[in-house]
Amino acid sequence: MQKEAGQRYADRSGWEVVGYFQDLDVSAEVRPFDRPDLGPWLGEKASLWDAMIFSKVDRVFRSAKDCADVAH
């Protein structure tokens, strides 16, 4: 459901989707950069994308510091 909603948003915006992340069963204590699926998109794959679409903020960030670190 979330993946499809993100795809529809990208389609409406005229954006090409270059990949997805899905960190199931990963503790909220794990920073976004250290997550097994999301981490590479914020590191070595960061040059491949210009925007990130997610259904809920808490799917990516569990703290204001994590949000600020990713934005930086």
Side-chain angles (χ1 to χ4, degrees), residues 52-66:
M52 188 183 334
I53 301 170
F54 46 91
S55 61
K56 296 180 181 177
V57 173
D58 72 344
R59 301 291 185 231
V60 181
F61 314 113
R62 295 299 174 126
S63 73
K65 182 177 181 335
D66 285 347

Side-chain angles (χ1 to χ4, degrees), residues 2 4 7-10 14-15 21-23 25-26 30 37 39 41 45 49-50 54 56 72:
Q2 294 174 19
E4 292 82 8
Q7 184 66 57
R8 284 192 304 272
Y9 184 87
W15 298 344
F21 69 89
Q22 182 176 343
D23 284 320
D25 300 322
V26 176
V30 179
D37 205 19
W41 287 102
K45 294 182 181 181
W49 58 273
D50 296 315
F54 46 91
K56 296 180 181 177
H72 178 64

Side-chain angles (χ1 to χ4, degrees), residues 4-40:
E4 292 82 8
Q7 184 66 57
R8 284 192 304 272
Y9 184 87
D11 291 344
R12 285 192 310 269
S13 300
W15 298 344
E16 175 188 2
V17 174
V18 297
Y20 300 92
F21 69 89
Q22 182 176 343
D23 284 320
L24 300 176
D25 300 322
V26 176
S27 170
E29 300 294 320
V30 179
R31 294 179 55 242
F33 292 94
D34 298 330
R35 293 184 189 167
D37 205 19
L38 175 57

